[in-house]
């Protein structure tokens, strides 16, 4: 995938979807479908605007990303986006006038069309909206397509709702909104060294500090490493049976994934299995993990 910095310049003709696309949820995918279709009609490259950093930090110091930029790029490439334009959302960007933002976009990039959601806002104080964008695009002779509100079973699809569901551990419902199961990608690091007790290879995931994790608990997951996918069970939280109250994401992998240490691993969360609890012995915990793996 081609990644362009917002401050750079490019002559590549693009149709650009505007938004943050932090979760690539069902509504985002409707925008993406329109971007791909318009790009095909105009002979341009389908592209999305996004933020390379954690934009939530400008509004909430504890704000977390559903997907990091690298995770978003992987998902976006799979569904037809060939290019991303990534900006850094900081105090200066937050204060940018709506016209100045659009002027910069059209000056730096060869835009053949724009697609956005009906509630897209931009510019300082969110002063720019779809009506303003429509007028601006008309002056540039560029097509604008606006995607209406998207609902599933009468509920509005939004990143805020996805975050709420993940924070409650309801990954099954969150996955309906995301279409593709919620995932975490990181590097396998050394753990407690007790994996041999369980009869399954274990992997502790190191991930970016700004990444959202689901509620503490034990989850049915699928683990992908070295291009191969395995059934797995993932503990998100502490390990009270061993007196370890540190937060971590530890996965038990079925099958023979080989040596995992130091490798990049992706976890897809399928459903919540149970709450974390303290067992009387490691042997009881081992039996429970083997039962969990029967998912």
């Amino acid at each position: 995938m081609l990644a362009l910095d917002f401050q750079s310049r490019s002559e590549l003709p693009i149709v650009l979807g505007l938004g943050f696309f932090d979760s690539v949820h069902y509504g985002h995918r409707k925008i993406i479908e329109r971007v791909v279709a318009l790009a095909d009609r105009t002979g341009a490259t389908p592209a999305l605007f996004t933020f390379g950093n954690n934009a939530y930090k400008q509004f909430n110091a504890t704000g977390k990303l559903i997907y990091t930029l690298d995770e978003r790029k992987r998902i976006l490439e799979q569904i037809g986006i060939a290019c991303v334009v990534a900006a850094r959302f900081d105090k200066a960007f937050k204060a940018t006038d709506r016209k100045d933002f659009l002027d910069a976009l059209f000056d730096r990039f060869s835009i053949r069309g724009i697609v956005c959601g009906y509630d897209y806002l931009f510019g300082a104080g969110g002063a720019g909206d779809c009506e303003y964008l429509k007028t601006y695009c008309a002056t540039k002779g560029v097509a604008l397509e606006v995607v209406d509100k998207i609902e599933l079973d009468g509920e509005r699809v939004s990143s805020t709702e996805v975050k709420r569901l993940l924070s409650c551990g309801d990954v099954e419902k969150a996955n309906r909104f995301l279409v593709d199961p919620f995932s975490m990608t990181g590097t396998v690091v050394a753990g407690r060294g007790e994996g041999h007790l369980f009869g399954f290879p274990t992997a502790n995931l190191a991930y970016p500090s700004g990444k959202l994790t689901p509620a503490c608990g034990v989850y049915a997951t699928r683990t992908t490493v070295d291009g191969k996918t395995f059934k797995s069970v993932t503990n998100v939280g502490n390990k009270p049976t061993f007196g370890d109250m540190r937060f971590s994401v530890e996965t038990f992998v079925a099958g023979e994934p080989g040596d995992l240490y130091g490798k990049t691993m992706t976890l897809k969360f399928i459903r919540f299995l149970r709450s974390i609890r303290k067992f009387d012995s490691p042997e009881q915990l081992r039996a429970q993990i083997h039962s969990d793996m029967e998912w």
Side-chain angles (χ1 to χ4, degrees):
M1 171 181 281
L2 177 63
L4 300 174
D5 187 274
F6 176 62
Q7 300 296 333
S8 66
R9 292 179 179 274
S10 173
E11 296 299 322
L12 177 71
I14 59 174
V15 168
L16 188 64
L18 294 177
F20 185 2
F21 305 102
D22 53 329
S23 64
V24 198
H25 59 55
Y26 189 75
H28 291 152
R29 294 199 177 203
K30 291 299 181 183
I31 294 174
I32 290 164
E33 288 173 5
R34 296 276 285 275
V35 168
V36 172
L38 183 56
D40 186 60
R41 294 198 305 270
T42 58
T45 296
L48 287 188
F49 178 90
T50 188
F51 295 112
N53 64 325
N54 187 350
Y56 295 118
K57 291 289 188 180
Q58 287 296 320
F59 303 97
N60 178 0
T62 61
K64 300 284 188 178
L65 288 167
I66 296 174
Y67 285 132
T68 66
L69 178 60
D70 285 341
E71 289 172 331
R72 266 173 277 155
K73 285 163 61 178
R74 174 181 55 82
I75 296 169
L76 292 171
E77 190 168 29
Q78 292 173 354
I79 55 178
I81 295 299
C83 172
V84 293
V85 176
R88 178 173 179 79
F89 193 92
D90 52 21
K91 289 182 179 179
F93 189 95
K94 185 179 177 182
T96 301
D97 176 79
R98 59 185 181 178
K99 183 176 183 300
D100 290 342
F101 167 64
L102 294 178
D103 285 346
L105 266 182
F106 278 80
D107 179 55
R108 296 168 185 169
F109 304 100
S110 179
I111 298 175
R112 295 278 182 86
I114 294 287
V115 181
C116 67
Y118 76 101
D119 57 350
Y120 177 63
L121 299 175
F122 60 97
D129 58 13
C130 290
E131 285 303 313
Y132 183 86
L133 187 56
K134 180 179 179 180
T135 301
Y136 186 95
C137 286
T139 67
K140 297 290 185 179
V142 167
L144 169 67
E145 294 191 9
V146 178
V147 177
D148 292 333
K149 179 170 65 174
I150 302 296
E151 294 184 346
L152 280 177
D153 300 329
E155 294 184 71
R156 177 175 175 268
V157 180
S158 69
S159 294
T160 299
E161 180 62 8
V162 170
K163 281 188 172 185
R164 186 191 71 79
L165 291 168
L166 291 174
S167 296
C168 293
D170 193 351
V171 295
E172 288 185 84
K173 188 169 183 180
N175 287 344
R176 287 185 60 245
F177 283 5
L178 292 170
V179 182
D180 194 52
F182 171 73
S183 63
M184 298 181 67
T185 298
T187 304
V188 179
V189 296
R192 303 187 314 275
E194 295 154 342
H196 64 282
L197 297 174
F198 302 106
F200 294 109
T202 60
N204 286 268
L205 190 71
Y207 54 91
S209 61
K211 166 76 175 181
L212 181 75
T213 58
C216 292
V218 179
Y219 294 86
T221 55
R222 293 196 184 279
T223 296
T224 299
V225 62
D226 288 339
K228 298 179 180 179
T229 299
F230 304 87
K231 185 172 72 172
S232 53
V233 168
T234 298
N235 186 97
V236 178
N238 56 29
K239 295 94 175 173
T241 301
F242 296 96
D244 186 351
M245 305 311 290
R246 295 171 297 177
F247 183 93
S248 66
V249 177
E250 182 179 53
T251 297
F252 303 88
V253 185
E256 299 180 0
D259 183 12
L260 297 172
Y261 183 74
K263 292 184 177 179
T264 298
M265 182 172 77
T266 295
L267 299 175
K268 287 192 176 184
F269 288 75
I270 309 304
R271 68 173 180 263
F272 181 88
L273 293 177
R274 61 179 174 85
S275 298
I276 294 172
R277 69 182 181 90
K278 183 177 181 180
F279 290 83
D280 292 336
S281 69
E283 289 73 26
Q284 287 186 2
L285 175 57
R286 172 193 168 99
Q288 179 62 61
I289 291 172
H290 278 258
S291 177
D292 294 335
M293 197 66 81
E294 292 305 313
W295 74 267

